[in-house]
Amino acid sequence: MVTSPTPRRGFIKMIGQLSPRSVRGSAPTHRPLLLLWLLGRVAVGAPRLTTWRETRAAFEKLEAAYGNGATADSAQYPFWTLHATDALWEIKDADRIAPPPGRRRPTISVLDQVNPEAGFTPAVYAMLSGDPGLVANAAATLLARFFNPVPVGLVAAVGLDGVLPAGREADLILPIPGSVAFPKRTAIHAELGGQSAGGIGTLEDGLMCVFSNAKGPYDDRTIPGTDLIEYRGQGLSGDQTLKGGGNAQLLVCQQEQKPIRYWHQPAGGEWGFDTWTVIVDRRLVWGKGEDKQWRHEFAWVLAPVPSPFRDQWPQSVLERLAQDDQQTHDETFETEAPTAVTKQDAGRQYRKLCASVERKESLNHGRTTRTASDRYFRSADARIAVMLRAQGMCENPDCGGQPADVTDRGDAILEVDHVDERAAQGRDHPANMIALCPNCHAIKTRGSTSGPSRNLGRVTGPASDG
Ligand SMILES: [Zn+2]
């Protein structure tokens, strides 16, 4: 069943569909800039219609001060395209200024001569006039997508300072983090647009989202010892690539340091929009596909940020962004896929991985790692070894029985952690690490000295190991 969107949602969707093609790493700002000016006119109660000459004068001033100059096109481009392509506004006498054969837009001389009037359609204008919240929402979304960080003076220059109080722009982009809960992805889609499945994509407002379900199919998690989120890329089986699909979209977000909404569904819970994030790093790691075969996966490293606006990001995140060399850091280099079919294979693989960990330890001798996330990824072999050793069972000998819950790939939900905090400061070696079910991990993380960590120092190789 297809339901037609409300006019309000239809408007947000049209705003979201503005997707100027990127030129030299940044999208031309002509249409967003003209739209901001038009929204500002609504906000200050200006008449619905404006003439070409008035529009051109205002636009050229704004473009000179706040545009990114990505192309040399001038005012006739957004004036025409918002009408012809985006259907956001109407031009009176449009037939008298229609582009000459073979041209995509009217010439400036014809526009100057006819000087047509244009404006939001009467229905859109009436809706916006009666709904300052919608004007603010649309304007804040345009700023976050195209003018981020927001240039000083832009909001006042377009007349939007009355509806967009400085510093509060983030609260005007809906929904705000922590404010929504949905039982299913289809419910998010019904309310906010975008895809109804799939891990990576925009909502109908054009802002990017990633979706992470605790039950899988991917292995997303908070990186221990940090506030960073490891988000596995798109592609269910076979090596993941950066070409096309969600990974290609995230690559653009990383290059342009765009804000991304992080949605999460905890086991047994509802989908929530947890936090805004930005990509600070990308790694290639071993992961298990839907077909249960090991393959290369991208691990996107997301830093939570309090707002989609860059000028409100903490210094620690800006430093990570400055350090990001935009390369893929290949953590699978010099290791092989930990394919283990039998228990004997598992034992052999476990010993090989321990040897690899020890070899890397000696290579890294005397070097300090840069961040906790670096060390996390460098210990990837150790974590895979621990998972092989655990063979799907919680390694806490006092485990009260691990939950029957499994990932979509049929694997037990296990989390690899250091045996105790002291060990976490030291070696990332399987002997210092343990696979725990979510129950035992939660007990351990609460830090009780009488918790399971007491008995966890005795972990050894898989049963077949000798
Ligand atoms: Zn357990």
Side-chain angles (χ1 to χ4, degrees):
M1 185 185 69
V2 177
T3 54
S4 58
T6 63
R8 184 190 162 95
R9 285 198 48 194
F11 183 72
I12 291 294
K13 195 170 176 182
M14 282 190 281
I15 296 265
Q17 282 170 347
L18 284 187
S19 51
R21 200 153 35 102
S22 197
V23 179
R24 293 191 301 273
S26 61
T29 47
H30 301 80
R31 281 182 287 159
L33 197 53
L34 186 59
L35 263 177
L36 284 173
W37 180 69
L38 294 170
L39 289 168
R41 284 176 56 85
V42 176
V44 300
R48 180 174 73 89
L49 295 172
T50 165
T51 65
W52 153 252
R53 286 190 203 128
E54 188 188 1
T55 309
R56 180 186 182 180
F59 177 82
E60 287 178 352
K61 225 167 106 185
L62 289 169
E63 175 67 16
Y66 305 106
N68 62 0
T71 73
D73 290 317
S74 65
Q76 93 267 30
Y77 166 70
F79 186 87
W80 178 254
T81 307
L82 284 182
H83 162 76
T85 303
D86 303 306
L88 276 165
W89 75 338
E90 59 176 12
I91 300 177
K92 301 274 178 195
D93 305 317
D95 50 334
R96 290 179 55 203
I97 58 159
R103 299 281 292 271
R104 285 164 57 213
R105 59 195 73 128
T107 60
I108 295 241
S109 59
V110 166
L111 281 161
D112 279 344
Q113 190 192 324
V114 177
N115 194 29
E117 286 189 311
F120 286 125
T121 61
V124 168
Y125 185 82
M127 173 177 69
L128 292 172
S129 303
D131 191 349
L134 178 56
V135 173
N137 184 352
T141 302
L142 287 170
L143 290 173
R145 287 183 57 203
F146 299 104
F147 303 92
N148 199 353
V150 181
V152 174
L154 169 60
V155 171
V158 293
L160 284 165
D161 40 342
V163 293
L164 283 179
R168 274 207 51 221
E169 299 91 341
D171 302 338
L172 299 164
I173 297 178
L174 302 177
I176 56 173
S179 70
V180 286
F182 295 96
K184 286 180 178 169
R185 281 290 306 278
T186 47
I188 302 176
H189 169 74
E191 179 92 14
L192 301 165
Q195 303 174 6
S196 55
I200 302 163
T202 62
L203 296 185
E204 70 193 3
D205 65 5
L207 284 159
M208 185 59 66
C209 295
V210 295
F211 296 89
S212 172
N213 179 341
K215 274 190 71 178
Y218 298 102
D219 222 5
D220 308 317
R221 68 188 96 202
T222 301
I223 297 176
T226 74
D227 64 347
L228 302 171
I229 297 161
E230 178 191 352
Y231 185 82
R232 292 294 171 100
Q234 198 170 62
L236 288 169
S237 290
D239 286 344
Q240 292 184 350
T241 74
L242 290 173
K243 293 200 181 79
N247 294 331
Q249 289 181 283
L250 290 187
L251 182 62
V252 172
C253 288
Q254 183 182 14
Q255 285 163 348
E256 301 183 6
Q257 303 185 343
K258 285 184 168 177
I260 300 170
R261 291 179 172 110
Y262 178 72
W263 293 80
H264 180 67
Q265 183 182 36
E270 292 199 303
W271 281 103
F273 165 31
D274 279 8
T275 180
W276 290 101
T277 63
V278 60
I279 296 170
V280 295
D281 191 5
R282 138 180 126 246
R283 312 261 174 158
L284 197 63
V285 297
W286 290 117
K288 227 179 193 183
E290 195 180 43
D291 57 5
K292 303 188 180 181
Q293 302 299 309
W294 287 92
R295 44 75 177 272
H296 289 105
E297 289 181 351
F298 283 97
W300 301 92
V301 182
L302 311 177
V305 284
S307 151
F309 291 104
R310 192 189 167 92
D311 46 9
Q312 293 166 16
W313 294 351
Q315 190 58 34
S316 58
V317 171
L318 297 177
E319 279 165 17
R320 282 185 184 281
L321 289 171
Q323 284 169 359
D324 180 15
D325 61 9
Q326 306 268 335
Q327 302 299 308
T328 297
H329 298 150
D330 187 355
E331 302 296 333
T332 67
F333 185 66
E334 286 192 331
T335 65
E336 56 183 286
T339 309
V341 183
T342 65
K343 279 194 170 190
Q344 264 189 343
D345 282 344
R348 212 169 21 245
Q349 280 282 358
Y350 179 78
R351 287 191 298 275
K352 264 173 102 167
L353 285 162
C354 286
S356 162
V357 168
E358 286 153 20
R359 205 164 50 240
K360 285 182 182 174
E361 274 181 333
S362 65
L363 283 175
N364 289 334
H365 182 70
R367 271 191 255 163
T368 51
T369 50
R370 203 174 65 193
T371 62
S373 65
D374 284 334
R375 220 186 57 200
Y376 170 76
F377 283 106
R378 280 185 197 176
S379 66
D381 289 353
R383 284 185 297 121
I384 290 170
V386 172
M387 291 299 272
L388 275 170
R389 185 183 67 201
Q391 297 186 357
M393 298 296 293
C394 176
E395 291 189 305
N396 173 18
D398 299 329
C399 179
Q402 75 189 57
D405 236 3
V406 292
T407 67
D408 289 357
R409 286 170 306 207
D411 294 332
I413 295 178
L414 292 176
E415 292 149 10
V416 176
D417 202 353
H418 291 89
V419 172
D420 60 37
E421 289 307 314
R422 241 171 330 132
Q425 306 299 320
R427 294 175 79 197
D428 289 312
H429 190 282
N432 287 334
M433 297 162 84
I434 185 161
L436 296 172
C437 71
N439 289 345
C440 292
H441 195 220
I443 294 167
K444 176 182 179 296
T445 307
R446 279 200 286 273
S448 162
T449 49
S450 62
S453 67
R454 266 296 162 80
N455 295 321
L456 299 184
R458 297 196 295 267
V459 286
T460 53
S464 67
D465 187 18

PDB file of all heavy atoms in Angstrom, residues 361 375 418 421-429 432:
ATOM      1  N   GLU A 361      54.098  -8.221  18.250  1.00  0.00           N
ATOM      2  CA  GLU A 361      54.557  -7.605  19.499  1.00  0.00           C
ATOM      3  C   GLU A 361      56.030  -7.260  19.392  1.00  0.00           C
ATOM      4  O   GLU A 361      56.454  -6.167  19.778  1.00  0.00           O
ATOM      5  CB  GLU A 361      54.354  -8.580  20.674  1.00  0.00           C
ATOM      6  CG  GLU A 361      52.983  -8.512  21.294  1.00  0.00           C
ATOM      7  CD  GLU A 361      52.850  -9.472  22.476  1.00  0.00           C
ATOM      8  OE1 GLU A 361      53.556 -10.503  22.522  1.00  0.00           O
ATOM      9  OE2 GLU A 361      52.017  -9.193  23.336  1.00  0.00           O
ATOM     10  N   ARG A 375      45.261   0.245  19.021  1.00  0.00           N
ATOM     11  CA  ARG A 375      45.618  -0.991  19.678  1.00  0.00           C
ATOM     12  C   ARG A 375      44.508  -2.025  19.515  1.00  0.00           C
ATOM     13  O   ARG A 375      44.766  -3.210  19.341  1.00  0.00           O
ATOM     14  CB  ARG A 375      45.903  -0.745  21.157  1.00  0.00           C
ATOM     15  CG  ARG A 375      47.096  -1.577  21.583  1.00  0.00           C
ATOM     16  CD  ARG A 375      47.352  -1.516  23.042  1.00  0.00           C
ATOM     17  NE  ARG A 375      46.216  -1.938  23.810  1.00  0.00           N
ATOM     18  CZ  ARG A 375      46.054  -1.619  25.076  1.00  0.00           C
ATOM     19  NH1 ARG A 375      46.924  -0.857  25.680  1.00  0.00           N
ATOM     20  NH2 ARG A 375      44.995  -2.046  25.731  1.00  0.00           N
ATOM     21  N   HIS A 418      39.626  -7.988  27.699  1.00  0.00           N
ATOM     22  CA  HIS A 418      40.812  -8.373  28.459  1.00  0.00           C
ATOM     23  C   HIS A 418      40.375  -9.018  29.778  1.00  0.00           C
ATOM     24  O   HIS A 418      39.307  -8.709  30.301  1.00  0.00           O
ATOM     25  CB  HIS A 418      41.697  -7.158  28.714  1.00  0.00           C
ATOM     26  CG  HIS A 418      42.347  -6.653  27.467  1.00  0.00           C
ATOM     27  ND1 HIS A 418      41.763  -5.717  26.653  1.00  0.00           N
ATOM     28  CD2 HIS A 418      43.515  -6.999  26.880  1.00  0.00           C
ATOM     29  CE1 HIS A 418      42.544  -5.490  25.620  1.00  0.00           C
ATOM     30  NE2 HIS A 418      43.620  -6.244  25.727  1.00  0.00           N
ATOM     31  N   GLU A 421      41.735  -5.294  34.115  1.00  0.00           N
ATOM     32  CA  GLU A 421      42.165  -3.971  33.671  1.00  0.00           C
ATOM     33  C   GLU A 421      43.686  -3.887  33.553  1.00  0.00           C
ATOM     34  O   GLU A 421      44.214  -3.218  32.684  1.00  0.00           O
ATOM     35  CB  GLU A 421      41.661  -2.891  34.637  1.00  0.00           C
ATOM     36  CG  GLU A 421      40.157  -2.679  34.549  1.00  0.00           C
ATOM     37  CD  GLU A 421      39.688  -2.412  33.125  1.00  0.00           C
ATOM     38  OE1 GLU A 421      40.329  -1.598  32.433  1.00  0.00           O
ATOM     39  OE2 GLU A 421      38.707  -3.029  32.693  1.00  0.00           O
ATOM     40  N   ARG A 422      44.387  -4.571  34.457  1.00  0.00           N
ATOM     41  CA  ARG A 422      45.842  -4.548  34.395  1.00  0.00           C
ATOM     42  C   ARG A 422      46.316  -5.112  33.060  1.00  0.00           C
ATOM     43  O   ARG A 422      47.184  -4.560  32.407  1.00  0.00           O
ATOM     44  CB  ARG A 422      46.431  -5.378  35.540  1.00  0.00           C
ATOM     45  CG  ARG A 422      47.302  -4.578  36.476  1.00  0.00           C
ATOM     46  CD  ARG A 422      47.654  -5.433  37.675  1.00  0.00           C
ATOM     47  NE  ARG A 422      46.606  -6.398  37.965  1.00  0.00           N
ATOM     48  CZ  ARG A 422      46.825  -7.682  38.188  1.00  0.00           C
ATOM     49  NH1 ARG A 422      48.040  -8.157  38.148  1.00  0.00           N
ATOM     50  NH2 ARG A 422      45.821  -8.479  38.468  1.00  0.00           N
ATOM     51  N   ALA A 423      45.699  -6.218  32.677  1.00  0.00           N
ATOM     52  CA  ALA A 423      46.071  -6.830  31.406  1.00  0.00           C
ATOM     53  C   ALA A 423      45.765  -5.894  30.245  1.00  0.00           C
ATOM     54  O   ALA A 423      46.484  -5.856  29.258  1.00  0.00           O
ATOM     55  CB  ALA A 423      45.335  -8.152  31.226  1.00  0.00           C
ATOM     56  N   ALA A 424      44.682  -5.113  30.397  1.00  0.00           N
ATOM     57  CA  ALA A 424      44.299  -4.199  29.315  1.00  0.00           C
ATOM     58  C   ALA A 424      45.379  -3.152  29.077  1.00  0.00           C
ATOM     59  O   ALA A 424      45.514  -2.624  27.977  1.00  0.00           O
ATOM     60  CB  ALA A 424      42.968  -3.527  29.642  1.00  0.00           C
ATOM     61  N   GLN A 425      46.149  -2.859  30.118  1.00  0.00           N
ATOM     62  CA  GLN A 425      47.247  -1.909  29.947  1.00  0.00           C
ATOM     63  C   GLN A 425      48.459  -2.595  29.306  1.00  0.00           C
ATOM     64  O   GLN A 425      49.404  -1.948  28.915  1.00  0.00           O
ATOM     65  CB  GLN A 425      47.684  -1.323  31.302  1.00  0.00           C
ATOM     66  CG  GLN A 425      46.559  -0.693  32.106  1.00  0.00           C
ATOM     67  CD  GLN A 425      45.906   0.457  31.394  1.00  0.00           C
ATOM     68  OE1 GLN A 425      46.595   1.258  30.766  1.00  0.00           O
ATOM     69  NE2 GLN A 425      44.594   0.542  31.457  1.00  0.00           N
ATOM     70  N   GLY A 426      48.448  -3.918  29.288  1.00  0.00           N
ATOM     71  CA  GLY A 426      49.635  -4.633  28.842  1.00  0.00           C
ATOM     72  C   GLY A 426      49.454  -5.308  27.500  1.00  0.00           C
ATOM     73  O   GLY A 426      49.095  -4.666  26.522  1.00  0.00           O
ATOM     74  N   ARG A 427      49.653  -6.603  27.466  1.00  0.00           N
ATOM     75  CA  ARG A 427      49.672  -7.314  26.189  1.00  0.00           C
ATOM     76  C   ARG A 427      48.266  -7.547  25.644  1.00  0.00           C
ATOM     77  O   ARG A 427      47.365  -7.906  26.380  1.00  0.00           O
ATOM     78  CB  ARG A 427      50.328  -8.677  26.379  1.00  0.00           C
ATOM     79  CG  ARG A 427      51.786  -8.616  26.731  1.00  0.00           C
ATOM     80  CD  ARG A 427      52.275 -10.029  27.018  1.00  0.00           C
ATOM     81  NE  ARG A 427      52.539 -10.780  25.791  1.00  0.00           N
ATOM     82  CZ  ARG A 427      52.658 -12.115  25.766  1.00  0.00           C
ATOM     83  NH1 ARG A 427      52.500 -12.812  26.847  1.00  0.00           N
ATOM     84  NH2 ARG A 427      52.921 -12.729  24.628  1.00  0.00           N
ATOM     85  N   ASP A 428      48.150  -7.400  24.328  1.00  0.00           N
ATOM     86  CA  ASP A 428      46.936  -7.862  23.646  1.00  0.00           C
ATOM     87  C   ASP A 428      47.232  -9.267  23.164  1.00  0.00           C
ATOM     88  O   ASP A 428      47.472  -9.502  21.987  1.00  0.00           O
ATOM     89  CB  ASP A 428      46.599  -6.952  22.465  1.00  0.00           C
ATOM     90  CG  ASP A 428      46.097  -5.607  22.927  1.00  0.00           C
ATOM     91  OD1 ASP A 428      45.216  -5.580  23.792  1.00  0.00           O
ATOM     92  OD2 ASP A 428      46.600  -4.589  22.431  1.00  0.00           O
ATOM     93  N   HIS A 429      47.270 -10.205  24.077  1.00  0.00           N
ATOM     94  CA  HIS A 429      47.591 -11.598  23.746  1.00  0.00           C
ATOM     95  C   HIS A 429      46.405 -12.460  24.154  1.00  0.00           C
ATOM     96  O   HIS A 429      45.776 -12.194  25.186  1.00  0.00           O
ATOM     97  CB  HIS A 429      48.853 -12.027  24.493  1.00  0.00           C
ATOM     98  CG  HIS A 429      49.386 -13.352  24.021  1.00  0.00           C
ATOM     99  ND1 HIS A 429      48.832 -14.551  24.399  1.00  0.00           N
ATOM    100  CD2 HIS A 429      50.411 -13.650  23.177  1.00  0.00           C
ATOM    101  CE1 HIS A 429      49.499 -15.543  23.806  1.00  0.00           C
ATOM    102  NE2 HIS A 429      50.459 -15.021  23.060  1.00  0.00           N
ATOM    103  N   ASN A 432      45.684 -13.241  27.653  1.00  0.00           N
ATOM    104  CA  ASN A 432      45.162 -12.185  28.521  1.00  0.00           C
ATOM    105  C   ASN A 432      43.734 -11.806  28.167  1.00  0.00           C
ATOM    106  O   ASN A 432      43.217 -10.811  28.666  1.00  0.00           O
ATOM    107  CB  ASN A 432      46.012 -10.919  28.378  1.00  0.00           C
ATOM    108  CG  ASN A 432      47.357 -11.061  29.031  1.00  0.00           C
ATOM    109  OD1 ASN A 432      47.511 -11.837  29.968  1.00  0.00           O
ATOM    110  ND2 ASN A 432      48.326 -10.321  28.531  1.00  0.00           N
TER     111      ASN A 432
END
